[in-house]
Amino acid sequence: FAPPFQFYVDYDPGFKFKEHNSRMNQRRSIQAGLWGASPDSLYWELSRRGYSLVALESWDPESWYPASEHNMWFVRNDLVNRSSQVPLVSWRGMVRMYWAQMESFG
């Protein structure tokens, strides 16, 4: 889900995930709604906990569906000389990073 849309799977302590060692099992997991979280949801959750986004990757050509991959890297704000309430990249900056990558892959 592209920003500004937010999506996440609620925590369920009883959930058991079967290891998906094949692409078919991975597809079934995604079709069952096991997406995890959208970039926007991850940004807001980690920013409020004192972390800053430092990199975003929205494309994996090795994936069975390349555009479904979203990897985001965060570091604690104190490690990038920021206060806990002021992330290195703003929400608008994260949105721009996301769409710039999507545009570059056409």
Side-chain angles (χ1 to χ4, degrees):
F1 292 89
F5 298 104
Q6 290 190 357
F7 175 84
Y8 56 91
V9 176
D10 287 327
Y11 175 70
D12 177 1
F15 178 76
K16 301 263 190 250
F17 188 74
K18 292 182 181 176
E19 193 173 315
H20 58 271
N21 54 9
S22 73
R23 291 191 186 273
M24 182 57 73
N25 285 339
Q26 186 179 16
R27 285 183 185 159
R28 286 185 186 137
S29 297
I30 291 171
Q31 289 169 348
L34 302 176
W35 286 88
S38 65
D40 198 76
S41 293
L42 289 172
Y43 176 85
W44 284 115
E45 183 64 26
L46 288 162
S47 292
R48 77 178 186 86
R49 293 175 182 260
Y51 287 82
S52 281
L53 176 67
V54 294
L56 183 142
E57 177 185 47
S58 299
W59 192 263
D60 181 5
E62 301 296 320
S63 174
W64 67 271
Y65 184 66
S68 71
E69 296 293 321
H70 302 293
N71 297 307
M72 300 174 78
W73 289 270
F74 291 83
V75 297
R76 278 193 340 250
N77 284 345
D78 63 307
L79 298 175
V80 289
N81 295 322
R82 301 298 262 194
S83 75
S84 63
Q85 302 303 312
V86 182
L88 186 63
V89 176
S90 68
W91 176 83
R92 183 173 287 213
M94 180 274 300
V95 172
R96 287 181 174 187
M97 288 170 69
Y98 178 91
W99 285 110
Q101 284 195 18
M102 295 309 284
E103 178 68 25
S104 69
F105 293 112

